[in-house]
Amino acid sequence: MLIPNVYAETLVQNLEGGMDIEITHPGEIVVGREGIISILVKNNGWEEKQDISFEFLVSEIRGLNVEPKNIIIDKLAQGGSYGENINLYITDNANPGIHFLNIKYSQVLVSNNKTPQEPFFYDIAIPITIKADPNVTIYTKTPESIFANAEFPIEVGVISEDIDITDVRIKIISPKDIEFRGETSHTFSKIQKNTPIGITSRIITPTDEVNTEYKIPFEIIVQYTDDVGEQKEDSQTVSVTLRPRTFMELTTDGGIWIGSFFIAPYVSLGTIIGIPAGAIISLLVRRKASPKKRSKKKKV
């Protein structure tokens, strides 16, 4: 069984005599974890091959174990293929970084399917990145700035790039003068590897207006249990600018502030926009002006 492409990389080699080799291997592997290297050999030439072998030189990388260390294929006829999986394990004393697993390949071409030729040798290098710890990445999306007496969304996403994680808890911690609509703590029994999840809450800003801009910090904390049973915690801090409200502000829920006057989102904005500004001013002026008394007609 080949490793899914999302987790692996494939190295293709086209060798002498129409021999094609595909090696699928983990692009990254975490210390203390296991992986699989899959090898598929195809004889696309018209002559038979024999004594095909792969030798893994694992001693060149500290903390790398491979089983089996040698693969031998006695014979591969024209159009034939052979596949095998190799177990890969990284011990706790491995050095993180990019390493190259070297493979010695050899084959014997059978000329006219009768006469074996001299062995053919070829060196293959597989790049493997060893990571000290699994990556659990936090993504946060907030407005660039916020203002008083309004609501704004805050979105948090989490993705585990290397392992499945369980007992996951995501918390959003804000300053004392900031409230939320919705939950600020979410739990998940399991998050699968490379499967992003997201949560959304709404920031409720203080009702008192501010005169200057200043930063408000929000801390995102993710607690989880990794694939070897260890409890881990990752965090991220993002800052949002709290600023004075301008004369006209649109809110995220469709409302609009005009000065200190708020028009709720359920009022048709199209109705408001449809009235010319001059007409609105004219109406306001007429309201302020006192009504004139009509003169009575004299009877003749």
Side-chain angles (χ1 to χ4, degrees):
M1 181 179 66
L2 296 179
I3 306 170
N5 290 334
V6 69
Y7 306 146
E9 298 177 2
T10 299
L11 180 68
V12 178
Q13 299 288 314
N14 306 113
L15 304 181
E16 184 180 282
M19 292 293 284
D20 293 337
I21 301 172
E22 293 183 10
I23 302 177
T24 304
H25 61 91
E28 299 177 335
I29 189 167
V30 181
V31 167
R33 272 68 169 184
E34 299 179 355
I36 295 175
I37 297 176
S38 296
I39 291 182
L40 179 62
V41 185
K42 299 179 181 179
N43 183 5
N44 293 321
W46 63 274
E47 293 172 305
E48 186 179 281
K49 312 298 186 303
Q50 67 182 30
D51 300 328
I52 303 164
S53 68
F54 294 84
E55 180 185 1
F56 295 87
L57 307 179
V58 295
S59 60
E60 299 176 1
I61 303 176
R62 192 181 86 175
L64 173 65
N65 291 330
V66 171
E67 185 62 37
K69 293 180 176 62
N70 294 278
I71 297 175
I72 298 175
I73 307 168
D74 294 332
K75 184 185 294 185
L76 205 58
Q78 175 189 356
S81 62
Y82 178 88
E84 185 167 341
N85 286 343
I86 297 91
N87 295 317
L88 180 68
Y89 183 76
I90 306 296
T91 62
D92 293 336
N93 65 339
N95 291 327
I98 300 175
H99 303 272
F100 288 89
L101 173 59
N102 293 312
I103 303 173
K104 290 286 186 181
Y105 172 82
S106 66
Q107 70 179 38
V108 173
L109 183 145
V110 182
S111 179
N112 297 316
N113 294 327
K114 293 180 180 179
T115 308
Q117 303 297 300
E118 291 293 322
F120 168 81
F121 297 95
Y122 189 77
D123 292 324
I124 302 173
I126 301 176
I128 296 178
T129 300
I130 299 177
K131 301 172 66 174
D133 295 294
N135 277 355
V136 175
T137 306
I138 304 171
Y139 301 93
T140 306
K141 181 180 179 181
T142 63
E144 293 183 2
S145 63
I146 58 179
F147 50 85
N149 201 16
E151 293 187 18
F152 299 89
I154 177 170
E155 300 176 12
V156 177
V158 176
I159 183 170
S160 177
E161 300 175 7
D162 306 292
I163 60 172
D164 293 347
I165 55 178
T166 56
D167 303 325
V168 184
R169 186 180 181 187
I170 304 172
K171 295 188 293 184
I172 305 175
I173 301 175
S174 64
K176 294 180 180 180
D177 56 345
I178 297 293
E179 297 181 359
F180 282 93
R181 188 180 304 281
E183 298 294 331
T184 57
S185 180
H186 299 258
T187 58
F188 300 86
S189 59
K190 183 178 182 179
I191 298 178
Q192 293 183 338
K193 174 182 176 179
N194 271 329
T195 303
I197 59 96
I199 62 172
T200 301
S201 291
R202 296 188 68 81
I203 303 168
I204 303 176
T205 55
T207 57
D208 295 337
E209 294 291 339
V210 295
N211 297 321
T212 58
E213 293 185 358
Y214 63 93
K215 298 289 186 179
I216 298 179
F218 293 87
E219 185 178 12
I220 316 300
I221 298 176
V222 178
Q223 299 169 323
Y224 61 92
T225 302
D226 65 14
D227 59 335
V228 294
E230 295 183 3
Q231 294 183 348
K232 299 290 184 67
E233 180 177 299
D234 291 292
S235 63
Q236 180 188 81
T237 300
V238 295
S239 296
V240 181
T241 300
L242 179 63
R243 58 172 174 78
R245 190 174 62 231
T246 59
F247 175 75
M248 181 176 292
E249 295 277 9
L250 291 174
T251 62
T252 56
D253 57 358
I256 183 172
W257 282 95
I258 302 177
S260 59
F261 181 68
F262 179 69
I263 302 174
Y266 51 80
V267 177
S268 173
L269 189 59
T271 302
I272 298 171
I273 295 174
I275 302 173
I280 295 175
I281 295 171
S282 177
L283 289 172
L284 294 175
V285 170
R286 288 184 181 180
R287 283 185 181 180
K288 291 181 180 180
S290 58
K292 296 180 179 179
K293 295 181 180 180
R294 292 182 180 181
S295 57
K296 295 180 180 181
K297 295 182 178 180
K298 295 182 180 179
K299 292 182 181 181
V300 180

